[in-house]
Amino acid sequence: MMPTFAFPRLTVLALACAAGCALSLTSGSVRAAEAPAESEPAASKSIRPTLSKPPQFFQRKGEQAKEPGKDSAKAPAKSEAQGVSMSELADLIDQKISEVAAKRAAAPVVKVTPPASRAKRPAAVKAPVDVALASQDPLQQRLLNGRDVDWAYSGATGPDAWGQLKPAYRLCMLGKRQSPIDIRDGLPVHLDPIQFDYRPTRFRVIDTGRTVEVKFDLGNSITVMGQRYELVAMHFHRPSEERVNGRAYPMSAHLLHKSPAGQHAVVAVLLDQGESQPLIQQVWNNLPLEKHQEQLAQAPMDPSQILPAQRAQYYTYMGSLTTPPCTENVLWMVMKQPVTVSIDQIDIFHRLYPMNARPVQPTSGRLIKEGL
């Protein structure tokens, strides 16, 4: 018969890990547990009822709680009967292991799925839209494809878009000294006269696709404020890019000069409808048959024929080139007296370029001088 121990079952479970130690108990120890209660010390007697009475929730099925005090003589035997044998200890351990395993198996497994990262729209998705837009405008197609786009006076590559076509054209959009301007409220002062050193010289005419331009051989120049500028070319605009007190003229001629240091100076001549102009007719007579081809004239040209009689009176201010790259720090001198051209001469240019003028730009507080 296996020995039993008078410990509550909760204590047995806590001491299950020491089950091996219980097997090594001596037979004398077992007999001590079975000895009558009278041989125990007084202290053990006070403890025995507490240790030998198991909690109610550990009672076997069919057992009923009995009132204390009844059959006190049989208390030692009852305590022994409620002890736990080694086989029961093993059964309890197996039962607890099974319960823990069942709880672990029954616990739901929750898989945490990380949120899917937002897929980036491939660049190719936008391509059909761009292609559709570009197919309607060849200039827009070249701009979207990243190729160089020729600037124009209207459309998608007109003056409002010049500054976005190339990094070199940024001043057309960001510059603070841009031309042309509406000349008004100039300071009336006596200006140094412009010293024109123009003489008959060989020239070539080219239709650039934006205007008619005249290129001169070297030998013509101006001197203003002690600085000499070499005449490089002359071209035309319709209507005039410059405005004087809000008025625009039918055409204008720009004579472009350049100093040895690379600074530009422009003499602008306002062209009004009236009598025919000999120099203008000479240019029209030498127009090339194809664009971008130079036509060498057989007779020389005297650039001074385009100048008004009153050359000492002019407006002056600091501005820029009126076409890309819109280079600033350009000295402008606009003749106050217009030069007349015939309606037929205006019509010839109008048939080629009905509008090739940049809109006026803000003055941005610039000083304008008006010669007396």
Side-chain angles (χ1 to χ4, degrees):
M1 179 177 180
M2 295 183 65
T4 57
F5 302 91
F7 294 103
R9 296 190 180 189
L10 284 177
T11 308
V12 170
L13 291 179
L15 299 177
C17 62
C21 297
L23 297 177
S24 62
L25 292 175
T26 62
S27 59
S29 299
V30 175
R31 287 193 301 268
E34 296 177 350
E38 286 79 9
S39 61
E40 295 181 359
S44 298
K45 290 182 179 180
S46 61
I47 297 175
R48 167 68 68 160
T50 304
L51 294 177
S52 61
K53 183 179 180 181
Q56 186 175 356
F57 55 81
F58 264 96
Q59 290 179 349
R60 294 185 180 88
K61 291 183 179 181
E63 290 184 346
Q64 296 181 354
K66 295 184 179 181
E67 296 180 2
K70 289 184 179 182
D71 300 329
S72 57
K74 299 181 180 180
K78 183 175 61 175
S79 298
E80 294 296 338
Q82 292 179 348
V84 179
S85 65
M86 292 301 298
S87 60
E88 289 177 332
L89 176 61
D91 293 341
L92 289 174
I93 293 175
D94 292 340
Q95 180 183 354
K96 286 299 176 181
I97 292 175
S98 300
E99 290 177 359
V100 173
K103 289 181 180 180
R104 291 182 179 179
V109 179
V110 180
K111 294 184 178 180
V112 179
T113 304
S117 59
R118 180 177 294 180
K120 294 183 179 180
R121 178 181 295 180
V125 174
K126 193 177 180 180
V129 178
D130 292 343
V131 171
L133 295 175
S135 62
Q136 302 175 7
D137 189 347
L139 293 176
Q140 185 71 9
Q141 182 179 16
R142 296 181 63 186
L143 181 62
L144 293 173
N145 291 337
R147 289 182 288 175
D148 289 342
V149 179
D150 294 335
W151 58 270
Y153 284 103
S154 61
T157 58
D160 291 340
W162 287 354
Q164 303 175 15
L165 299 180
K166 290 183 181 180
Y169 297 171
R170 299 289 287 176
L171 277 178
C172 300
M173 178 175 58
L174 303 177
K176 301 300 183 182
R177 295 290 185 271
Q178 291 292 294
S179 296
I181 63 172
D182 184 4
I183 300 172
R184 59 176 70 223
D185 299 328
L187 296 179
V189 294
H190 292 281
L191 298 173
D192 294 337
I194 303 171
Q195 300 178 15
F196 291 95
D197 186 10
Y198 289 168
R199 61 195 66 185
T201 186
R202 290 164 57 89
F203 69 97
R204 302 171 303 283
V205 180
I206 180 173
D207 184 347
T208 66
R210 302 184 184 93
T211 188
V212 174
E213 186 176 58
V214 178
K215 294 183 178 180
F216 297 98
D217 286 351
L218 297 176
N220 298 278
S221 64
I222 61 172
T223 302
V224 57
M225 292 184 290
Q227 178 64 56
R228 182 178 181 275
Y229 300 87
E230 182 77 20
L231 177 62
V232 177
M234 175 177 62
H235 59 261
F236 304 92
H237 294 278
R238 172 165 171 80
S240 67
E241 292 192 310
E242 302 77 22
R243 295 189 182 187
V244 179
N245 294 321
R247 179 188 175 185
Y249 289 80
M251 290 183 63
S252 64
H254 290 172
L255 291 90
L256 178 64
H257 304 74
K258 196 172 185 179
S259 71
Q263 184 178 0
H264 293 93
V266 179
V267 175
V269 180
L270 302 171
L271 302 178
D272 202 0
Q273 182 177 333
E275 298 293 329
S276 64
Q277 220 288 329
L279 183 141
I280 297 293
Q281 191 60 46
Q282 189 178 10
V283 174
W284 292 177
N285 292 343
N286 289 277
L287 283 171
L289 296 177
E290 299 288 346
K291 294 183 183 297
H292 308 291
Q293 291 185 355
E294 292 185 357
Q295 177 68 45
L296 178 63
Q298 299 301 312
M301 174 185 288
D302 184 359
S304 63
Q305 291 181 350
I306 195 68
L307 299 175
Q310 300 177 2
R311 304 175 185 177
Q313 295 181 346
Y314 60 93
Y315 304 97
T316 184
Y317 72 95
M318 295 302 297
S320 72
L321 300 179
T322 62
T323 59
C326 305
T327 305
E328 294 189 337
N329 197 29
V330 176
L331 175 63
W332 278 84
M333 293 155 285
V334 180
M335 298 288 104
K336 293 180 67 174
Q337 182 183 12
V339 172
T340 61
V341 293
S342 68
I343 185 62
D344 293 336
Q345 292 174 329
I346 294 174
D347 184 63
I348 290 176
F349 189 83
H350 179 83
R351 291 171 64 181
L352 296 174
Y353 300 104
M355 203 293 292
N356 68 336
R358 186 189 189 189
V360 293
Q361 304 297 304
T363 57
S364 300
R366 278 175 281 180
L367 180 64
I368 301 174
K369 291 183 179 181
E370 178 183 357
L372 298 176

